[in-house]
Amino acid sequence: MKKLILICTMILGFAFGASAQDDQKAEFKFNEEKHDFGKIAQGTPVTTVFEFTNVGTEPLILTEVRPTCGCTIADYTKTPVPKNGKGTIKITYNAAVASAFNKTIVVTSNAKTPTKYLNIVGEVVAKPAVSSR
């Protein structure tokens, strides 16, 4: 019986220890995780900036920000973001093809939630045809 109590105590100790470590990790809090550009003109690149705050206690380090499409470019804060510090992820979408779009950006970091997904949506509308006289 003593062995069983000892084993249970050890298991609980490890569980609470792991939980305490997770509480110490960095964590994102974004202003928004989805941005709607609405209707945009074909051939006109558009940009938005996703702002975030590190609400964890450890410095937040972004290891990769990867758009899932070649038509999207990402630039982001590359230095560690301290507790309560702010960082940005700048996304530029090349509106080359007239159609609706929904693009995902995969953000990888050392945060408690190590992978976050940001989205940009909208509709690219064709430029009016230029008449030649």
Side-chain angles (χ1 to χ4, degrees), residues 11-74:
I11 291 172
L12 286 173
F14 286 127
F16 285 117
S19 175
Q21 286 177 348
D22 278 351
D23 291 341
Q24 298 297 314
K25 285 196 169 197
E27 187 62 291
F28 289 106
K29 181 171 193 295
F30 280 93
N31 292 25
E32 64 176 350
E33 294 185 25
K34 180 177 182 178
H35 180 78
D36 187 347
F37 283 107
K39 293 187 181 206
I40 55 178
Q42 183 177 8
T44 306
V46 291
T47 300
T48 189
V49 177
F50 291 95
E51 295 181 354
F52 62 88
T53 303
N54 177 7
V55 295
T57 55
E58 291 183 359
L60 176 61
I61 301 168
L62 279 63
T63 53
E64 183 179 31
V65 177
R66 183 176 41 86
T68 56
C69 169
C71 56
T72 308
I73 299 170

Side-chain angles (χ1 to χ4, degrees), residues 35-40 93 99-103 120-124:
H35 180 78
D36 187 347
F37 283 107
K39 293 187 181 206
I40 55 178
Y93 174 70
S99 71
F101 65 91
N102 183 354
K103 304 297 179 187
I120 56 170
V121 298
E123 181 180 359
V124 179

Side-chain angles (χ1 to χ4, degrees), residues 1-12:
M1 185 68 173
K2 286 182 180 180
K3 285 184 181 181
L4 182 60
I5 292 172
L6 180 62
I7 291 172
C8 288
T9 304
M10 288 176 55
I11 291 172
L12 286 173

Side-chain angles (χ1 to χ4, degrees), residues 71-132:
C71 56
T72 308
I73 299 170
D75 189 21
Y76 58 95
T77 301
K78 297 185 178 64
T79 56
V81 178
K83 176 182 177 179
N84 297 321
K86 295 189 182 297
T88 60
I89 298 173
K90 177 180 167 184
I91 303 298
T92 301
Y93 174 70
N94 180 8
V97 178
S99 71
F101 65 91
N102 183 354
K103 304 297 179 187
T104 301
I105 298 90
V106 182
V107 181
T108 309
S109 71
N110 68 327
K112 188 184 330 183
T113 308
T115 304
K116 292 288 265 185
Y117 299 94
L118 304 175
N119 291 91
I120 56 170
V121 298
E123 181 180 359
V124 179
V125 293
K127 287 185 178 179
V130 177
S131 61
S132 58

